[in-house]
Amino acid sequence: MDHIDRIPLFRSEAAAFEKAVRRAYDRGDPVPSVPSCPEWTVTDLVRHLGGVHRFVAHVLRERITAPPDTADLTLPEAPDGPDALTDWFARGARELAELLSELGPDTPVWTWSVEQTSGFWLRMQLIELAVHRWDAESATGAPPPSPQASPRTP
């Protein structure tokens, strides 16, 4: 699978995460906890993933090639309230998908890995989204299996 094929998967996982979060919030108060993330609620999960997306977008947008100084990093604050927070997440995911699509897989940027490319970030954020989509789905019951994890027939 190449970079261009991963962008729609990223968008699909982001939409599935958003749907799972909205379903969790529709249950009312208290906000459901996330069984696979001890001491986290769905709100914590959304803030985490939305913040990660904004951090990665910052690295990509600025073409940062050395470890960023997070002490000087100012990211937009996550809003309060389920609808505003979920919309904030969705907006950040869309912006990150657009950036990753524009840059392609070979733009040199800092990562925490030996591989220092924008393609690395797309692969990692696709994994991050799939894992946290599953986490969000588990907050409201048994999550369905991931379509990417299904056995393939030749």
Side-chain angles (χ1 to χ4, degrees):
M1 178 180 302
D2 63 14
H3 190 85
I4 196 74
D5 295 326
R6 287 185 182 101
I7 298 291
L9 287 174
F10 179 92
R11 288 185 170 123
S12 175
E13 285 292 344
F17 178 83
E18 180 184 354
K19 181 179 178 183
V21 166
R22 290 191 190 281
R23 186 172 51 250
Y25 281 140
D26 284 347
R27 299 181 111 190
D29 282 332
V31 174
S33 61
V34 180
S36 50
C37 300
E39 300 182 22
W40 274 22
T41 66
V42 168
T43 297
D44 297 318
L45 191 62
V46 176
R47 288 178 188 276
H48 162 73
L49 195 51
V52 167
H53 285 174
R54 282 162 175 78
F55 172 75
V56 172
H58 171 73
V59 168
L60 295 169
R61 190 179 304 107
E62 301 299 321
R63 310 291 197 278
I64 295 172
T65 57
D69 181 0
T70 55
D72 293 335
L73 182 62
T74 303
L75 296 174
E77 285 294 317
D80 291 324
D83 288 334
L85 184 61
T86 307
D87 291 344
W88 173 83
F89 161 79
R91 197 168 41 257
R94 279 191 309 273
E95 290 170 5
L96 181 55
E98 289 168 16
L99 256 173
L100 288 163
S101 182
E102 289 169 16
L103 293 178
D106 300 320
T107 301
V109 291
W110 172 86
T111 74
W112 46 260
S113 172
V114 172
E115 183 186 348
Q116 300 284 301
T117 67
S118 50
F120 171 86
W121 280 122
L122 176 55
R123 291 190 310 279
M124 291 305 103
Q125 290 313 298
L126 182 54
I127 292 166
E128 180 105 353
L129 264 170
V131 167
H132 288 319
R133 184 248 326 138
W134 188 91
D135 291 333
E137 289 171 346
S138 72
T140 58
S146 172
Q148 289 78 23
S150 301
R152 297 183 193 266
T153 56

